[in-house]
Amino acid sequence: MEFRVLGTVAVASEDGAFLALGPAKRRSLLAMLLLQPNIAVPVERLTEALWDEEPPLHSRTVLQGHVSRLRALLAEHGAEAYGIELATQGPAYVLRLPETLIDAHRFEELVTLARGQRRPGDAVLMLREALALWQGPALTGTVTSPPLQAASHTLEELRLASVEALAEAYGELGEHGRAAAVLRTEAVAHPLREPLSAALMLALSRSGRQSDALEWFHRTRRLLADELGVDPGPALCEAHAEILRTSTPATPPAPAADEPELTVAIPELLPRRPRGFSGRQAELTALGLAAAGQYGAIALVTGGAGVGKTALAVHWAHERQSDFPDGRLFADLCGYSDTPARQVTVVLREFLLALGVPVQRIPETEAGMGALYRSLTADHRMLVVLDNARDSEQVRPLLPGGDHCVTLVTSRDRLGGLVASDAARPVRLDELPAADCTALLAAVLGEDRVAAEPEAAAHLAALCDGLPLALRVTAARLAARPQWTLGALASELADEQRRLGLLRVEDTGVAAALRLTVQQLPEQARRMFRALGLHTGSELDRYTAAALAGCTPDQAAAALDRLAAAHLVVESGPHGCDPRTRPDSYTLHDLVRLYARALAPEADPDGLARLLDHYLHTGLVATATAEPGSQPCFTPPPGARRPAAVREFEDRQAALAWYEAERATLRGAVAAAVAAGMHDRAWRLVLLQWPLILWRVRDGWVPLLEQALESAELEQELDAQSRTRALLGWVLHEEGRYDEALAHLEKAPDLARQAGDVTSEAIARINLALILVKYGEVDRAGDLLGHALTLAGRARDRSTEMLAHQHLARHFLTAGAYDLAREHSLRGLELGPSPEAIPRRVLLRTSYGEALAGLGRTEEARRQLTDAAREADDHGYEEGAAAARANLANLEGLPPA
């Protein structure tokens, strides 16, 4: 067994499989114990780490639950055989284990051993082995809290020091190129760490790359000035001075005696101003601010295919012509194109020719061209537009040399490397707002035609996802057919099967643009994108993506991050949503989703089944969290596969929030299951939503429940039919459809009895009883509730027993039988001492208070109702608190017994 904190916090079993640790708080608990192995960590310290804000009142109970589940998980995988024990030690917990099982301990041991080596070759071997233990940023997957952040920072500092030591050892061996390669990656990721940049500069210089070393110094100098407003420190300055002492900076070749001095021309390579450009004022302002930086500002416009990056850049460049008196250069780098990406030498040759360099005086090598290009732009105010860049490496050789030049880069990728190494300032381009979409259509079709159908124009904008490319194709179709109305085309585009085909004119279209983006992705990301076409909703997290692609959640997260960098999915969490709902949420816009769906036949044919099984297992966990103690409403069907990992929920509110957020996706999953003939999944996907159905009973659940009943009947599942009819009857009654409700509820108990499911029969009888009360059949309702209590006791189902006692107490309160109401309330409370059963406990305690009030025991009643209201408040159960306080108000003015 192996414990990992150098990357995602994880536990690997003997066969290499990772244990399903559960939610972030449980990983955080394990991380805190692993950071101090064999030492008791106080509960207060663990609480501080698990909650970055004020912990809830029941935090100790939650912490105990996480300890209990972690202990059980370790025991299940034979931890005792490895000498591992998670023990309680007074008001603290201790994880006892051999420290060699922890990757951080082995890392620190190897680093310490490397420091004591006399031969640099031995130090290299040990440091490389130590650094190979790192799988990503330390303590990934834990809560963002001060104790864990501090620990992560300490480990990261030790890692960086080890990288610097490895480079130093390579230098002692004379392998300066390897030293530079090791340092460059870290210097890009930590551009403000001056000792790192200084070491990289010296390694570059000593490996014969003096010009690169000097260029790195100037990049770092600009970044320090822009970000911190400071000059380079002693380490950078000393490295710079050493490089100058040992090398001569590269300069453009001096002209021969008979050659005249070069005269720089004023280039104008911009394409024509885009027609019909409108809106984007906020982005134009942001672009102006990004271009206003010092020391050769680089503005980076990023966004998805068809969002209008080139149009924005070229429009801004035309608008700001007076700011660049020495000319404007432009190159389409073809990073996302059917044609091969432009070679750096080809673009440099074009730029040099535009700057007035005669053909015979253009250097032959890329290095020579770059040096001449930078020298010619060094003292000028020029704009360089590098459009459609694939990656940062394609851009860097084309950056001008002058501090007064501005470079404007557009890309479908985030180009984080350019941001890190060259202080590029990103300007994200999203979809057009509705008003700008209408203006774009009007610019092509004319104001009158668009004004005549404002609602249709808005509908077209929504169907085009606000993408300028899609809107222009739509406008082109309408312009070619004056007899068409906007509404008619909107109706055609509403058909998802035809939409992408309609959004194509000749060689221009949304699908073609998306294809160029997808083909540039690495294979793992391409596979993930194809798999997303099977998704039944517009949002997903890494667990759902893992199910679709048949991989682990960590692999899915890496692929989703790559898709987000290419603007094919949009990160919408945790900041864009409740983090308890989707801790790492991603959204697909409709047109991207439709394109992924078109590729879905190329994906794994088992992907849909894995997706449905993922939702079944996640729903069961959500149900158990939302309604603790309740029995699962089904077992997974034969052949269902458990996902690699199933997310967990901290509390009832988190589980209900997940149900609410996933409601549309689950409805789509039911439809997909029915269409694929997987009725055994379809009815289960409906029934697993019962906590939300009861919570939002009037939210239009009838069609979904009717589909579940049809699927259950097709599968001849009697228990499923009983449960569905019981739930459907309750919903129909709440909607005022009494006859339909009673027809379903009358059938439910007998179906459960035939199926032999005692719990289902008890629940069906309770639901029927509650409806019969509304019809005045009070005696029959009482008999049904009594029978339900007997059945629940026979099944030893404490949750359903509590439910029966709760309704019997209410039944006898209504009848004025206060002694019996008090008895059932007390018996129900004795069944549910767990803090997790709060909602039912609050209702039972409220009934108990009402019964005491009916018996004239006013003071006791007041205490019980006050406790019920306080308990409800402590756990966020607003309805229960309101009911308890309403009864307290009824006691006002009554004397104590």
Side-chain angles (χ1 to χ4, degrees), residues 576-706:
C577 66
D578 185 343
R580 299 177 306 175
T581 307
R582 294 187 182 90
D584 49 357
S585 180
Y586 295 83
T587 300
L588 288 86
H589 289 307
D590 281 349
L591 294 178
V592 176
R593 179 175 55 83
L594 292 177
Y595 182 67
R597 184 182 297 174
L599 302 179
E602 303 173 27
D604 186 344
D606 295 330
L608 178 60
R610 285 199 305 270
L611 176 70
L612 301 179
D613 292 345
H614 154 74
Y615 278 121
L616 290 180
H617 283 91
T618 307
L620 288 172
V621 174
T623 302
T625 308
E627 298 291 338
S630 63
Q631 289 189 358
C633 56
F634 58 79
T635 57
R641 286 165 289 191
R642 184 176 179 83
V646 180
R647 63 164 300 179
E648 297 188 24
F649 304 90
E650 291 183 11
D651 50 31
R652 171 181 171 81
Q653 288 74 26
L656 288 174
W658 178 82
Y659 277 123
E660 192 80 70
E662 296 286 359
R663 182 174 172 181
T665 301
L666 290 171
R667 185 171 61 245
V670 172
V674 170
M678 290 189 276
H679 292 282
D680 57 346
R681 268 80 167 174
W683 66 260
R684 287 175 168 87
L685 286 167
V686 178
L687 280 189
L688 65 79
Q689 300 177 66
W690 70 265
L692 183 66
I693 294 174
L694 294 180
W695 195 258
R696 302 273 188 270
V697 70
R698 295 182 182 88
D699 275 6
W701 295 98
V702 170
L704 197 64
L705 286 163
E706 288 176 339

Side-chain angles (χ1 to χ4, degrees), residues 430-441:
D430 291 313
E431 294 69 33
L432 279 172
D436 290 346
C437 291
T438 303
L440 191 155
L441 290 173

Side-chain angles (χ1 to χ4, degrees), residues 16-84:
F18 289 104
L19 277 57
L21 291 178
K25 282 187 170 51
R26 198 169 307 150
R27 288 179 186 270
S28 304
L29 166 68
L30 176 61
M32 288 296 293
L33 297 172
L34 290 172
L35 290 168
Q36 301 179 73
N38 303 307
I39 296 175
V41 184
V43 167
E44 290 76 13
R45 182 64 173 166
L46 294 172
T47 302
E48 183 185 358
L50 266 62
W51 283 274
D52 56 336
E53 298 177 351
E54 186 70 22
L57 292 175
H58 59 294
S59 60
R60 187 177 290 264
T61 302
V62 174
L63 180 60
Q64 289 170 348
H66 285 307
V67 170
S68 176
R69 290 175 186 174
L70 187 57
R71 187 180 283 145
L73 182 67
L74 293 172
E76 180 186 347
H77 290 83
E80 185 178 357
Y82 298 91
I84 302 167

Side-chain angles (χ1 to χ4, degrees), residues 807-829:
H807 288 298
L808 278 165
R810 181 57 52 192
H811 173 77
F812 287 119
L813 281 173
T814 303
Y818 297 116
D819 272 327
L820 288 171
R822 182 187 64 84
E823 178 187 344
H824 280 290
S825 298
L826 276 174
R827 287 173 62 190
L829 285 168

